[in-house]
Amino acid sequence: MRKRFTVWLLMTVGVSAFVCLLSGRWADPWLWTYCAIWIATVTYGLTGIGDDLARERFQGTVKGEDAVALRFVRLFGFAHLAVGALDVGRWHLAPVPAALRGAALAGMAFALVLVYRSMRENRFFSAVVRVQTDRGHSVVDTGPYSIVRHPGYAGMIAGVPLSGLALGSWLSFGLALIYSMLILRRVLFEDAFLCRNLAGYPAYTRRVTGRLIPGTW
């Protein structure tokens, strides 16, 4: 419980303070709205997962496949936050129109809810690519997993670019697109890995044919 609270604190108060500090705009209603959405969705996600998944995600010692690529995913995820905050607050190099920024806030909220809804549904929602034999790993085909095979990744691919727009920076949006391309590559890698290594997954791919888009791809 203490570890989960620490992670929650870092992901909510820590990220919010980081964005506001870099931007220097502590009273900006756009940033407060952004932070409120972030805090609400993270809270929804972290309060709804079991202790076994929390240990899997937060212990930091679990090894998996594709570890180098994961570092780049995290790097670009962090970079889009830092550059977005600096651009909207200090640089003013590539501002986003208010109407688009408002729409992006709503889209970001929806995408993040999809990520955390997927995490709550899938007790094997690990940060690393591996077959979790120590946790009785099996195929999950309920909830959003009955529609597409990787709903969490779908939320990430859409949500982080929308986050860049919601912050108010086209520069952040550009970095977020690189993040999304890295996640798209990870979808292909993980899907192939699970087909080879997880019992029941090939049959699941025949039932749920879309990786990210229902019935299409």
Side-chain angles (χ1 to χ4, degrees), residues 52 73 121 129 177 190:
D52 60 337
V73 168
E121 187 70 29
V129 178
L177 288 180
E190 184 169 328

Short mmCIF file of all heavy atoms in Angstrom, two decimals, residues 52 73 121 129 177 190:
data_model
loop_
_atom_site.label_atom_id
_atom_site.label_comp_id
_atom_site.label_asym_id
_atom_site.label_seq_id
_atom_site.Cartn_x
_atom_site.Cartn_y
_atom_site.Cartn_z
N ASP A 52 -1.29 -7.77 -6.75
CA ASP A 52 -0.32 -8.54 -7.51
C ASP A 52 0.13 -7.78 -8.75
O ASP A 52 1.31 -7.79 -9.11
CB ASP A 52 -0.88 -9.91 -7.90
CG ASP A 52 -2.14 -9.82 -8.74
OD1 ASP A 52 -2.84 -8.79 -8.67
OD2 ASP A 52 -2.43 -10.80 -9.47
N VAL A 73 10.81 4.77 -25.28
CA VAL A 73 9.41 5.11 -25.05
C VAL A 73 9.30 6.06 -23.86
O VAL A 73 8.62 7.10 -23.92
CB VAL A 73 8.57 3.84 -24.82
CG1 VAL A 73 7.19 4.19 -24.29
CG2 VAL A 73 8.46 3.03 -26.10
N GLU A 121 -8.79 -4.13 -16.13
CA GLU A 121 -9.36 -5.36 -16.65
C GLU A 121 -8.34 -6.49 -16.73
O GLU A 121 -8.68 -7.66 -16.55
CB GLU A 121 -9.94 -5.11 -18.06
CG GLU A 121 -10.71 -6.27 -18.65
CD GLU A 121 -12.04 -6.50 -17.93
OE1 GLU A 121 -12.62 -5.54 -17.39
OE2 GLU A 121 -12.50 -7.67 -17.93
N VAL A 129 7.54 -6.71 -21.62
CA VAL A 129 7.00 -7.79 -22.45
C VAL A 129 7.58 -9.11 -21.94
O VAL A 129 8.77 -9.37 -22.05
CB VAL A 129 7.39 -7.58 -23.93
CG1 VAL A 129 6.87 -8.74 -24.78
CG2 VAL A 129 6.83 -6.26 -24.44
N LEU A 177 4.36 12.25 -31.21
CA LEU A 177 4.16 11.38 -32.37
C LEU A 177 5.27 10.33 -32.46
O LEU A 177 5.02 9.18 -32.85
CB LEU A 177 4.12 12.21 -33.65
CG LEU A 177 2.86 13.05 -33.87
CD1 LEU A 177 2.98 13.82 -35.18
CD2 LEU A 177 1.60 12.19 -33.87
N GLU A 190 5.09 -7.12 -29.41
CA GLU A 190 4.45 -7.86 -28.33
C GLU A 190 3.42 -8.85 -28.86
O GLU A 190 3.30 -9.96 -28.35
CB GLU A 190 3.79 -6.89 -27.34
CG GLU A 190 3.17 -7.58 -26.14
CD GLU A 190 2.77 -6.61 -25.05
OE1 GLU A 190 3.45 -5.57 -24.90
OE2 GLU A 190 1.77 -6.88 -24.37
#
